[in-house]
Amino acid sequence: MTSCDFQIAKQFNFLRSMTEVERAELTKTSSPRHLQKGEVLFMEAEQLQKLFCIREGACKFSKIDEKGKEHITKLLGKGELMGRRSLISKKGAMVTATAITDTTICSVDKLPVLRCLMKNTDFCMDVIKGFVEDTEEEAKRKGLFDNHQSITKRLAGLLIYLDEKFGTERDGTLKLFLKREDMANLIGTSSEYVISILSRFKRGGLLDLERGKIRLLDKKGLEKMC
């Protein structure tokens, strides 16, 4: 099976911190996998035997509460890793990972990664830096659409976040297309209210809606709103 090139990984600098022997061992156990939109990569509490990196596309982390309602905790894009905490702690996954677009994943067996952690201090430091970056990303996310703000401000912050994290298509629409239900889940409201606020933003000249896709027309206006 074709191996993966992990140069795309944002949080592990494989080429710099691994020896040639370690890289060869890692690559030997790696393989690509294509996920259809909506396909689950791993489930909450699952014992993971692999580390995953997004090659193309996007995924979401989510948890299910006691009432069976899904709560999205994180959005991940190209180059981001999944399964680090579970791999290192040897505990089950804390979240369910699901593709929210057609997505290509690179996976690698956990054993060569664990061996590098024990023997290679530079690689170990890269792992620690990755967790620090996760913390910074979480702080930024909360700053843009934190639950203590009004729903309108949270939605404005979410749109800015999607623009900055995932970018736009050539036609200017947001590259990551989120269902209104997912947007509502992220900011803690109903999909009907999200639709209502988006329509209000459109009337105010802040954005344009085209077959469900969103094009930001006045990003500064949305930032002021936050």
Side-chain angles (χ1 to χ4, degrees):
M1 187 175 287
T2 306
S3 61
C4 291
D5 179 4
F6 283 91
Q7 292 186 63
I8 61 169
K10 294 177 181 177
Q11 296 157 315
F12 284 177
N13 191 335
F14 288 95
L15 296 181
R16 182 178 61 81
S17 60
M18 280 186 168
T19 66
E20 289 186 14
V21 173
E22 288 169 338
R23 288 198 297 272
E25 186 179 5
L26 183 85
T27 304
K28 194 187 303 180
T29 68
S30 69
S31 60
R33 175 181 169 186
H34 185 71
L35 301 174
Q36 298 292 329
K37 180 179 179 180
E39 187 175 347
V40 173
L41 178 63
F42 57 80
M43 296 290 293
E44 189 175 346
E46 183 178 337
Q47 292 289 333
L48 301 182
Q49 302 302 315
K50 292 182 179 291
L51 179 71
F52 305 96
C53 178
I54 299 176
R55 192 170 177 178
E56 293 291 342
C59 292
K60 65 180 178 182
F61 281 169
S62 62
K63 297 175 74 70
I64 303 296
D65 64 21
E66 62 278 3
K67 297 180 180 178
K69 179 177 173 56
E70 180 188 45
H71 297 274
I72 299 173
T73 61
K74 189 175 182 179
L75 299 174
L76 302 98
K78 183 176 180 178
E80 293 193 274
L81 295 161
M82 297 181 287
R84 271 177 311 156
R85 190 208 64 85
S86 180
L87 181 147
I88 295 168
S89 68
K90 299 181 182 179
K91 295 180 180 178
M94 292 182 67
V95 294
T96 295
T98 308
I100 50 178
T101 66
D102 286 350
T103 300
T104 302
I105 299 291
C106 286
S107 65
V108 62
D109 289 351
K110 71 177 184 179
L111 287 179
V113 178
L114 292 175
R115 278 196 287 266
C116 283
L117 285 171
M118 290 185 284
K119 296 178 181 179
N120 187 327
T121 54
D122 288 337
F123 179 73
C124 193
M125 284 301 297
D126 277 341
V127 174
I128 294 171
K129 289 175 184 176
F131 283 116
V132 172
E133 289 175 7
D134 278 353
T135 303
E136 292 172 347
E137 168 80 9
E138 180 64 13
K140 182 178 181 180
R141 184 190 70 80
K142 286 185 176 180
L144 282 171
F145 49 101
D146 186 88
N147 286 337
H148 296 297
Q149 300 186 89
S150 70
I151 299 296
T152 299
K153 288 182 178 180
R154 276 182 254 172
L155 183 54
L158 175 60
L159 294 173
I160 293 167
Y161 178 80
L162 294 176
D163 175 72
E164 293 180 349
K165 184 176 177 69
F166 297 98
T168 58
E169 302 287 3
R170 289 184 178 180
D171 62 1
T173 58
L174 294 178
K175 185 169 286 186
L176 182 61
F177 175 79
L178 281 182
K179 295 185 296 184
R180 302 304 185 249
E181 181 182 356
D182 284 341
M183 296 175 76
N185 186 309
L186 280 161
I187 63 175
T189 187
S190 66
S191 54
E192 291 79 12
Y193 197 33
V194 165
I195 293 168
S196 174
I197 298 173
L198 288 175
S199 297
R200 194 194 316 159
F201 284 174
K202 180 180 180 179
R203 291 194 299 272
L206 295 171
L207 55 79
D208 188 28
L209 300 172
E210 185 178 311
R211 296 181 181 178
K213 288 192 170 186
I214 298 171
R215 181 185 294 108
L216 303 188
L217 301 177
D218 186 1
K219 189 176 175 182
K220 287 185 178 180
L222 290 168
E223 288 172 346
K224 287 180 181 178
M225 191 175 294
C226 295

